[in-house]
Amino acid sequence: MEKKMNKALTKKNEKTSIFPRGFFWGAATSSYQVEGDIVHNDWAKAGEEGKVPKAGAACDHFHRYEEDFDIAKELGHNAHRLSLEWSRLEPREGMFDEEAFRHYANVLKAIRARGIEPFVTLFHFTLPLWFSESGGFERRDAPEIFARYAKEVAIRLSSYCTHFSTMNEPNVMGSNGWLRGSWPPFKRFSLTSLVSITNSDKTFERKAPSRVSNLFVYLRVMKHLAQSHNRAYEEMKRVSPALLVSVVKHVILFHSNQNVVNRLFAYVSNYYWTYKFMNRVKRHIDEIGLNYYFHKKYGDREKYEKSDMNWDIYPEGIEECLMMLSQYGKPLYVSESGVADREDRFRADYIERQVRGVARAIERGAPVRGHMYWSLLDNYEWALGYDMRFGLVHVDFETQKRTIRPSAYRYKEILLAHGVE
Ligand code: BGC
């Protein structure tokens, strides 16, 4: 009964809303952050070595995905973004694990069975050990290695899913791994304070010796990541031309006051953080995922409220980020955006302001097709472990009990209303 009413409500609202019909509303997760008991990747090894917190059982989502998708459904979601754990699927170089593929096929079926559209990312930061230990994306043949994996994914999973992203936030992975030295493979270049804009914390930063040469390694890695995306795109489309293949791009909104020098800073920063990579992949994308978390305004005097990550609360920035990406002329999805808010004090308001920002971008012509909040569940926040809570759903990591936060119901109201008045 309630289901029918929700459907009717959505239909009615779709008619009048600025959000296009069939707009995707949902949340996102990633394999290593939620599944639990993943041992053969670079992050698990770094955890064993004490360089980052251990992920351990995480949310035990590997076994509890049905329960979690029930929650997503109850919350009215019609889309869900998840990632595949490459180290499960290709545990040894060139050897693909059929059972692991069956697991993900079941996961995708479970999502679809609840009327939810899956959006799958092929790798979300974590690399199989055999790959990372042999150089990972520093390897010249990395694009071929990644394309081989992408092809196998397309062969086995394209009947369950249409929207695939090759990778999550290449720039974040590159800068944390090869400039800041805070994420695997912990390589550092001394000017890293200039790029300390992403999700790691000084407490956990590796005191890896800084080398100038790491800057060049970083540049090579970024090139290889773009090439890997392009090669994977080609292979996946060859297997199944109907797939919609994207890249998930982390965009920082660099903006400024009117000062000319500050404007120049913002321009250059946006070029290096966003456009450079996008220009390299723009001929190999069917759609684009936007991950938006923060902005940097040069010459800004304003005081912002801060999230638990100590990031400015500025969800409005999403509008301009969508406009930046809309110049590539492809459908856009907000593939992640969220706030660490243990007490659930800001989240509902944050989501509301953000959805208004998305609506304004649509009004200005951005082809936005979906919005996925980060994250469905509280989870392993990389170098910060389990302290940061981004979830619509609170997870008790001792008991694995899930509790839906009030803000999740506010998001439900918004999506049933198909936006905010
Ligand atoms: C990443 C997520 C992460 C989130 C919050 C994004 O950059 O894709 O894995 O948990 O930010 O820091």
Side-chain angles (χ1 to χ4, degrees):
M1 183 67 177
E2 195 197 325
K3 237 188 283 166
K4 272 199 183 144
M5 268 170 60
N6 286 348
K7 255 200 182 145
L9 195 65
T10 307
K11 273 214 174 118
K12 180 176 152 262
N13 289 327
E14 274 190 349
K15 279 195 190 142
T16 50
S17 167
I18 177 85
F19 288 87
R21 194 179 285 269
F23 194 83
F24 291 114
W25 299 97
T29 60
S30 91
S31 58
Y32 194 63
Q33 293 179 271
V34 297
E35 284 185 2
D37 297 326
I38 295 172
V39 283
H40 297 301
N41 75 21
D42 51 349
W43 274 83
K45 182 170 179 242
E48 285 304 318
E49 292 171 349
K51 294 177 176 170
V52 294
K54 291 184 182 173
C59 310
D60 192 30
H61 179 73
F62 189 81
H63 299 110
R64 294 170 195 255
Y65 61 88
E66 301 255 8
E67 175 190 343
D68 293 336
F69 300 148
D70 281 342
I71 297 175
K73 186 177 172 200
E74 184 189 331
L75 291 174
H77 297 186
N78 66 354
H80 181 74
R81 175 172 173 243
L82 69 154
S83 77
L84 307 174
E85 178 56 33
W86 185 2
S87 67
R88 288 193 198 275
L89 295 171
E90 192 179 357
R92 282 189 285 147
E93 174 151 17
M95 304 276 295
F96 292 93
D97 184 327
E98 296 307 332
E99 209 180 307
F101 272 106
R102 257 196 306 280
H103 169 79
Y104 285 113
N106 289 336
V107 169
L108 294 174
K109 281 192 234 167
I111 295 176
R112 284 205 172 284
R114 289 162 176 80
I116 298 175
E117 182 76 21
F119 287 71
V120 166
T121 303
L122 265 55
F123 95 95
H124 190 121
F125 298 145
T126 54
L127 303 179
L129 258 191
W130 59 263
F131 183 50
S132 59
E133 298 284 277
S134 61
F137 283 99
E138 292 178 25
R139 281 174 68 156
R140 203 176 312 162
D141 58 353
E144 292 314 312
I145 290 174
F146 184 62
R148 177 182 59 198
Y149 161 60
K151 179 180 169 191
E152 296 302 320
V153 170
I155 291 172
R156 291 167 169 89
L157 298 180
S158 55
S159 45
Y160 308 104
C161 180
T162 308
H163 301 272
F164 284 94
S165 302
T166 54
M167 57 186 67
N168 183 67
E169 303 185 348
N171 295 67
V172 172
M173 181 176 176
S175 67
N176 282 350
W178 284 267
L179 294 181
R180 295 198 70 191
S182 53
W183 285 14
F186 305 106
K187 297 198 176 171
R188 205 153 72 87
F189 169 62
S190 45
L191 290 179
T192 46
S193 52
L194 291 181
V195 289
S196 48
I197 38 186
T198 51
N199 44 355
S200 65
D201 185 283
K202 292 227 169 352
T203 342
F204 292 101
E205 215 155 284
R206 294 309 303 145
K207 296 294 164 242
S210 159
R211 293 210 179 90
V212 173
S213 59
N214 286 339
L215 176 63
F216 299 100
V217 186
Y218 163 78
L219 294 173
R220 193 165 75 229
V221 166
M222 291 314 298
K223 190 169 88 191
H224 289 172
L225 282 163
Q227 290 169 341
S228 299
H229 165 82
N230 292 345
R231 284 288 298 114
Y233 177 92
E234 287 164 1
E235 289 300 328
M236 296 183 84
K237 297 291 280 192
R238 205 167 289 153
V239 173
S240 177
L243 293 184
L244 296 169
V245 181
S246 62
V247 72
V248 167
K249 185 71 186 74
H250 182 278
V251 178
I252 297 171
L253 173 63
F254 290 101
H255 50 160
S256 69
N257 60 7
Q258 288 307 311
N259 179 290
V260 185
V261 178
N262 288 332
R263 282 166 66 176
L264 185 69
F265 270 139
Y267 178 85
V268 172
S269 308
N270 281 324
Y271 174 75
Y272 278 104
W273 189 258
T274 295
Y275 295 128
K276 190 162 191 243
F277 188 88
M278 289 309 298
N279 291 342
R280 281 175 159 161
V281 299
K282 67 182 178 195
R283 284 184 197 84
H284 294 83
I285 36 177
D286 302 318
E287 43 194 28
I288 304 171
L290 162 70
N291 287 4
Y292 170 71
Y293 289 92
F294 44 74
H295 77 127
K296 163 123 189 85
K297 187 166 178 181
Y298 294 104
D300 196 5
R301 296 239 170 84
E302 207 171 317
K303 292 264 171 286
Y304 299 86
E305 281 189 296
K306 302 280 185 189
S307 73
D308 296 349
M309 296 285 273
N310 205 25
W311 294 344
D312 290 355
I313 296 196
Y314 186 63
E316 288 74 15
I318 203 164
E319 174 186 348
E320 226 33 63
C321 293
L322 288 165
M323 296 318 294
M324 283 167 72
L325 292 181
S326 69
Q327 65 179 266
Y328 294 98
K330 302 287 178 189
L332 304 175
Y333 295 89
V334 176
S335 35
E336 277 182 38
S337 189
V339 63
D341 177 18
R342 167 178 290 274
E343 306 296 334
D344 207 33
R345 277 190 300 151
F346 308 112
R347 193 173 284 105
D349 180 55
Y350 183 94
I351 293 175
E352 205 169 310
R353 284 161 61 188
Q354 196 180 78
V355 170
R356 284 185 205 282
V358 176
R360 279 193 301 272
I362 295 174
E363 255 161 20
R364 290 169 65 190
V368 192
R369 306 280 187 264
H371 175 271
M372 283 163 271
Y373 176 82
W374 181 269
S375 172
L376 179 64
L377 306 167
D378 285 344
N379 57 45
Y380 175 78
E381 179 52 31
W382 304 111
L384 301 178
Y386 287 103
D387 287 346
M388 295 297 146
R389 291 181 175 265
F390 280 88
L392 292 173
V393 178
H394 173 272
V395 177
D396 179 328
F397 293 106
E398 296 291 312
T399 61
Q400 293 296 352
K401 186 174 180 314
R402 274 73 167 142
T403 310
I404 299 176
R405 292 197 164 100
S407 54
Y409 289 112
R410 178 65 192 124
Y411 186 43
K412 180 176 183 180
E413 279 169 16
I414 292 172
L415 61 90
L416 287 180
H418 217 56
V420 189
E421 285 293 296

